[in-house]
Amino acid sequence: MASSSLFNTNPSFTFNPLFQNHAKIQTLFKSNTPISFNSVNQTNPLKFLKSKTPNCRNPRTTDMVDPVVFYLNKCKKKESERKDGSFSGIQDLLNLCGFGYWIQGFRCFPWLALNFHMANNLNMNPSTLQLVQNSANLPMVAKPLYGILSDALFIGGSHRLPYISIGVVLQILSWGSMALIPIASEALPILMTCVLLSNLGAAITEVAKDALVAEYGQKNKINGLQSYAFMALAAGGVLANCLGGFLLLKTQKLKSMFLIFASLLSFQLALSLKTKEESFCLPRSPNHHESISSSIKEQFSDLITAIKDDCVLKSLSWIVASFSMVPILSGSLFCYQIQILNLDPFIIGMSKVVGQVLLLGVTILYNRYFKTISFRKLIGTVQILYACSLLLDLVLVKQINLKLGIPNNVFVVCISGIAEIINQFKILPFQVLFASLAPAGCEGSLMSFLASALCLSSICSGFLGVGMASCLGITSVDYSNLPVGIGIQFLAALVPVFWIHNVPTSLPSDEKDKKTGLSKKRRKTRRVGRVVFNMVFVYRRERESEAQR
């Protein structure tokens, strides 16, 4: 730094250029101003000369600034410049990602219509319906690949917004085809192709949004952006289920619902194309040109290194096990409600609405109050509540609610979806944890790996539920063993509590807890600089991308 050369000499002696400028001194003594040397301060004779010669002002002696004050003022100036420059960035982020997460929650709108279409129009049995639902999530398993591509491969100098646009285009093609092409929604193979294409686009978009939120939050030291994303997602789910149930009850026009969702996706595409990634002040494409394969290999190496971190690995193993070992009977319960209890679509939709409202409220409470609770205690409590909430389905199947004077429709609307909502909320603290642990430059890869692991665990849970339903003989005409399956669910959900010690006790609170040095590529793109702090040289490391900004 420029200021470091100021202290390369002996700090006990301050060099004054006044002694070198003899002309100024001679002019001083040749002037007519009388000088009384008896009045000169003997301790500092230059003070007298300076008082008589204002033109001989010495900037080094009079304007000497403490290096600590100089450094702090410089940091404050940079901080104010950063805040002023990032104002438009935060607005663009809220508009783009806020609406994107809202659309992600609004995906319940076409899926509610699709579930009724497969159950009523295509006459699928519960196991087949659940098998189709879980098989459609297979593109979500490849999220780490999308995250690595998003981190390593820049498209037009950007590596987040282009992937959001690509994913939205794929969703528009799939839902638009099911709305406008009759065979696309009638033939099961073509229907599955459209659903897989839709989930592929949704997976790519979600990975890019999660990486953008994590990267922006780390750069601007904003913690907990994931909770606000959860709020937008829950708000979209509330409106989707409420509006979807109403339209299904009044119109029964499934394809119009597909078309409405495709139109909303078109608006999201226009918003993503209008937004410029430069407004977020994120790292740009590196100047050196590397082959795509080598860049992907290095990014993959960074991901493996991040996953091997003890806190990340243990937390990931716990949440994956807590999802995968519980056999889900969502298809059987859905068919039981519409075939045995004869509940209309509006009731099913309203049950989802109440659940999403509860998710929104719990997310707000977490953002304000639950963060102060021990992370391990919070996760353990949530898991126990999830296991107990599974027994609420047993109350409905055994019709205990009727004995208590609660009608089936009221019970389903108010209580039936609590277990699903608690299970969704359990993901939020882990998203905040992984976002805080994600190394710089590896946000997309690590967050997408978490999402992929959760998706794979939910698929395993769904397939396990299909196998259990087949073993228990649960079909569309025989639900006698459904209570036994619910009891097995309850016991399986309690098992992860016994190794809750793998979950960290608290979230990382400072930058010391984050891993920054990863691969050779990461070490190459860092440089060593010197900072003057109270006349002591302190070495710090700084990324080239930050130095350029």
Side-chain angles (χ1 to χ4, degrees):
M1 295 179 61
S3 60
S4 63
S5 61
L6 182 64
F7 300 96
N8 288 337
T9 58
N10 190 351
S12 62
F13 173 74
T14 304
F15 181 73
N16 194 337
L18 182 62
F19 293 112
Q20 283 188 340
N21 198 337
H22 302 286
K24 290 184 178 181
I25 299 178
Q26 292 175 1
T27 304
L28 174 66
F29 284 95
K30 288 180 181 180
S31 62
N32 295 325
T33 305
I35 302 175
S36 177
F37 287 94
N38 294 329
S39 61
V40 176
N41 189 352
Q42 300 298 326
T43 59
N44 190 2
L46 291 179
K47 183 177 179 180
F48 173 78
L49 296 177
K50 287 165 58 179
S51 63
K52 296 297 182 179
T53 57
N55 294 330
C56 297
R57 183 175 178 268
N58 183 10
R60 294 211 176 193
T61 56
T62 58
D63 295 340
M64 180 66 66
V65 179
D66 189 354
V68 177
V69 177
F70 173 78
Y71 179 71
L72 294 178
N73 290 336
K74 188 176 181 180
C75 291
K76 290 180 180 179
K77 183 178 179 181
K78 287 185 176 180
E79 182 69 16
S80 62
E81 292 177 354
R82 183 188 64 81
K83 289 182 179 179
D84 294 339
S86 63
F87 179 75
S88 61
I90 191 64
Q91 292 296 325
D92 292 340
L93 182 77
L94 293 177
N95 293 334
L96 178 67
C97 291
F99 185 74
Y101 281 106
W102 184 86
I103 285 290
Q104 183 179 340
F106 201 79
R107 290 181 67 220
C108 301
F109 180 76
W111 267 102
L112 183 63
L114 186 60
N115 287 333
F116 274 94
H117 173 67
M118 291 187 294
N120 296 333
N121 298 339
L122 301 182
N123 297 320
M124 291 184 181
N125 58 52
S127 297
T128 305
L129 176 62
Q130 186 170 335
L131 190 63
V132 171
Q133 290 174 340
N134 289 276
S135 299
N137 290 326
L138 288 176
M140 301 284 185
V141 180
K143 277 188 174 183
L145 176 61
Y146 317 142
I148 291 175
L149 291 176
S150 176
D151 286 335
L153 184 59
F154 285 71
I155 301 176
S158 303
H159 67 147
R160 302 302 182 202
L161 296 184
Y163 293 94
I164 294 178
S165 301
I166 292 173
V168 173
V169 169
L170 293 178
Q171 294 182 75
I172 293 174
L173 292 176
S174 60
W175 291 109
S177 299
M178 286 189 286
L180 301 176
I181 303 175
I183 194 175
S185 59
E186 300 298 333
L188 184 58
I190 302 179
L191 177 65
M192 280 298 303
T193 303
C194 292
V195 171
L196 289 172
L197 186 65
S198 171
N199 283 351
L200 174 62
I204 296 174
T205 304
E206 290 171 14
V207 166
K209 291 201 308 287
D210 292 342
L212 179 60
V213 170
E215 190 174 10
Y216 188 88
Q218 284 190 4
K219 176 184 175 296
N220 295 277
K221 306 297 186 295
I222 303 175
N223 295 325
L225 282 177
Q226 289 73 22
S227 59
Y228 293 101
F230 244 67
M231 295 178 192
L233 191 148
V238 169
L239 183 59
N241 289 294
C242 184
L243 184 61
F246 177 78
L247 291 179
L248 284 175
L249 181 64
K250 297 296 182 180
T251 64
Q252 295 292 330
K253 294 181 179 180
L254 305 176
K255 294 184 179 181
S256 62
M257 298 176 64
F258 301 155
L259 190 60
I260 292 174
F261 186 68
S263 302
L264 292 174
L265 289 172
S266 301
F267 180 77
Q268 184 185 9
L269 177 62
L271 185 61
S272 63
L273 293 176
K274 179 183 177 182
T275 307
K276 302 298 181 182
E277 193 163 314
E278 290 80 6
S279 62
F280 303 130
C281 299
L282 299 180
R284 298 181 180 179
S285 177
N287 296 326
H288 57 278
H289 297 281
E290 296 183 358
S291 62
I292 296 177
S293 60
S294 62
S295 180
I296 292 177
K297 285 181 181 179
E298 290 178 351
Q299 196 66 40
F300 182 76
S301 176
D302 288 353
L303 175 61
I304 296 299
T305 305
I307 294 173
K308 287 182 179 180
D309 179 69
D310 188 62
C311 183
V312 173
L313 186 59
K314 288 184 177 180
S315 302
L316 184 65
S317 62
W318 188 91
I319 190 171
V320 168
S322 68
F323 274 90
S324 59
M325 66 172 46
V326 180
I328 296 299
L329 298 173
S330 57
S332 300
L333 289 171
F334 177 76
C335 293
Y336 177 82
Q337 291 175 358
I338 65 175
Q339 294 176 357
I340 303 300
L341 301 181
N342 296 319
L343 298 178
D344 56 64
F346 182 74
I347 298 299
I348 302 297
M350 287 304 298
S351 67
K352 303 292 184 180
V353 169
V354 173
Q356 294 294 333
V357 170
L358 291 176
L359 179 61
L360 179 61
V362 174
T363 303
I364 295 175
L365 291 176
Y366 169 79
N367 192 47
R368 292 188 176 182
Y369 305 108
F370 294 169
K371 285 183 178 180
T372 59
I373 303 177
S374 170
F375 188 80
R376 183 181 299 174
K377 182 178 179 180
L378 175 64
I379 297 300
T381 304
V382 170
Q383 186 65 25
I384 294 175
L385 290 176
Y386 170 66
C388 296
S389 63
L390 290 172
L391 296 178
L392 296 175
D393 293 327
L394 183 62
V395 174
L396 180 65
V397 173
K398 287 290 188 178
Q399 295 291 277
I400 300 176
N401 57 294
L402 294 180
K403 299 178 182 178
L404 298 176
I406 304 175
N408 289 330
N409 53 358
V410 176
F411 186 86
V412 169
V413 168
C414 298
I415 301 177
S416 180
I418 291 180
E420 182 181 356
I421 297 307
I422 294 177
N423 210 26
Q424 290 183 20
F425 170 77
K426 186 174 62 176
I427 301 175
L428 175 58
F430 284 94
Q431 283 187 335
V432 176
L433 172 66
F434 276 66
S436 60
L437 294 176
C442 198
E443 298 89 355
S445 303
L446 187 59
M447 296 302 293
S448 61
F449 188 85
L450 171 64
S452 173
L454 293 176
C455 182
L456 182 60
S457 62
S458 64
I459 291 175
C460 293
S461 176
F463 286 164
L464 188 62
V466 171
M468 185 178 69
S470 300
C471 293
L472 296 177
I474 301 175
T475 62
S476 58
V477 294
D478 186 9
Y479 292 96
S480 58
N481 289 329
L482 187 57
V484 179
I486 296 174
I488 295 175
Q489 280 184 314
F490 168 73
L491 296 176
L494 289 177
V495 174
V497 180
F498 293 99
W499 65 78
I500 194 67
H501 59 272
N502 286 334
V503 178
T505 55
S506 61
L507 293 172
S509 57
D510 53 22
E511 296 296 321
K512 295 180 181 180
D513 296 334
K514 295 173 61 175
K515 309 296 181 182
T516 54
L518 291 176
S519 64
K520 294 181 179 179
K521 175 185 175 183
R522 191 65 43 76
R523 290 193 295 269
K524 288 180 180 178
T525 57
R526 303 174 78 89
R527 65 181 178 85
V528 177
R530 295 193 299 177
V531 179
V532 177
F533 188 79
N534 200 15
M535 295 185 180
V536 178
F537 291 114
V538 180
Y539 284 82
R540 70 174 181 181
R541 296 187 176 274
E542 182 179 10
R543 295 185 61 185
E544 286 183 351
S545 59
E546 296 176 356
Q548 293 175 0
R549 293 196 298 271

